[in-house]
Amino acid sequence: MYPNAFEYSAAASFKEAVARLAELGSEAKVLAGGCSLIPLMKLRLAEPAHLVDIGRVPDAAYMREVDGELRIGALTREADVERSPLIATRSPILADASSVIADPLVRNMGTVGGNLAHGDPANDHPAVMLALRATIVALGPEGERTIPADDFFIGLFETALEPGEILTEIRIPAPPTGSGGAYVKFERQVGDFAIAAAAVAVRLEDGQVADASIALTNAGPTVIRASAAESALAGRAPDDGSLRDAAAAARDEAQPWPDVRGNAEMKKRLAGVAVERALRLAIRRAAEGRA
Ligand code: FAD
């Protein structure tokens, strides 16, 4: 199908886009890579009267360290995350996720900001940002503000972005010594959304798990933090027993819906397996000093 008729304008800056959105009101939508919005418009599930294209805003696609903090511009394309030498050494969990988002064509266009702003619990970056305890930077009519990732995803396709606000940057704290992260996804076929997936970040100290941060993709109406799984692991040696306990706790916390990708029980079990496998990879990376 074709989208309904709509007006289009391209913004030369985020500030200009915010002003445009304020002028146009609720009938306008932000267009970034278009990899979610355009398919929804073609299915007539979204019928914005006006698109404000931010795709060509200059200096909005970057990955850089500022005082140890990793800053990712909203328009950074998935393919660039996937191939970035900085990400490979500083935060490989981000490349784990980008590399399993859709297919190369979509990864060349889809943006990290759009992946988060879309608010789809099946998207791969939300769990990663929870695991990394990231902060989202938003610019709106009232100026700039920051939102912890834990407070950003508030409902199915619903985020804490206010009407007229634009996600401009993602900030990821410097990983303390002994940190490691990983993202493991189960999908029916390459390019599909997750049947189940887990993002984990751990910090090892004196052979124990000093801190664990675990989040699940496609395990409920929003991305969820597996707090019981984190507690099952914290303060223990990263051995088979503690990893299996964390996986079992995550399995119980997952609340997936049955759909074409599987029934709820199967998805819960896979969520547990994803947590265990991601933890093993994260602990190995932490031991190798690869964040
Ligand atoms: P757009 O489609 O342009 O926008 C998405 C939504 O976010 C819109 O509501 C838009 O208004 C809003 N928005 C975008 N950017 C901003 C911003 N900076 N500030 C405020 N609002 C904003 N995703 C996965 O995670 N994993 C997958 O496996 C996966 N498979 C896919 C397979 C296919 C074939 C396709 C077409 C998509 C798939 N996706 C998948 C979804 C898609 O890749 C992501 O949701 C995409 O990253 C969205 O980014 P975008 O830049 O294209 O956003």
Side-chain angles (χ1 to χ4, degrees), residues 186 195-197 251 265-275:
F186 288 111
I195 304 169
R251 191 175 59 224
E265 186 48 35
M266 180 262 251
K267 290 184 169 187
K268 285 168 75 80
R269 287 185 180 281
L270 273 182
V273 176
V275 163

Side-chain angles (χ1 to χ4, degrees), residues 14 21 28-40 51 54 74-78 97 100-103 106-107 109-120 122-126 152 161 165-169 183 185 187 191-194:
F14 282 143
L21 291 168
K29 283 286 278 176
V30 169
L31 175 67
C35 294
S36 284
L37 182 56
I38 300 300
L40 286 177
L51 290 187
I54 60 171
L75 295 183
T76 303
R77 307 291 163 167
E78 298 299 351
V100 292
I101 288 177
D103 51 51
V106 171
R107 293 201 288 270
M109 294 188 292
T111 66
V112 180
N115 194 280
L116 300 173
H118 189 43
D120 186 343
N123 274 8
D124 293 300
H125 276 313
F152 185 74
L161 287 176
E165 270 191 332
I166 289 185
L167 189 161
T168 58
E169 186 175 78
Y183 186 72
K185 172 180 182 179
E187 53 193 343
D192 197 4
F193 287 90

Side-chain angles (χ1 to χ4, degrees), residues 20-97:
R20 204 90 184 88
L21 291 168
E23 218 178 279
L24 294 162
S26 60
E27 282 302 293
K29 283 286 278 176
V30 169
L31 175 67
C35 294
S36 284
L37 182 56
I38 300 300
L40 286 177
M41 289 173 66
K42 285 183 165 180
L43 293 168
R44 302 286 172 95
L45 295 173
E47 296 189 290
H50 195 113
L51 290 187
V52 178
D53 188 352
I54 60 171
R56 276 167 286 182
V57 167
D59 191 28
Y62 53 80
M63 294 167 273
R64 49 185 173 225
E65 281 195 286
V66 178
D67 304 335
E69 190 177 61
L70 178 62
R71 295 194 176 175
I72 301 173
L75 295 183
T76 303
R77 307 291 163 167
E78 298 299 351
D80 294 330
V81 177
E82 190 183 359
R83 291 191 290 253
S84 159
L86 171 67
I87 295 297
T89 47
R90 165 72 170 67
S91 203
I93 182 177
L94 286 161
D96 292 346

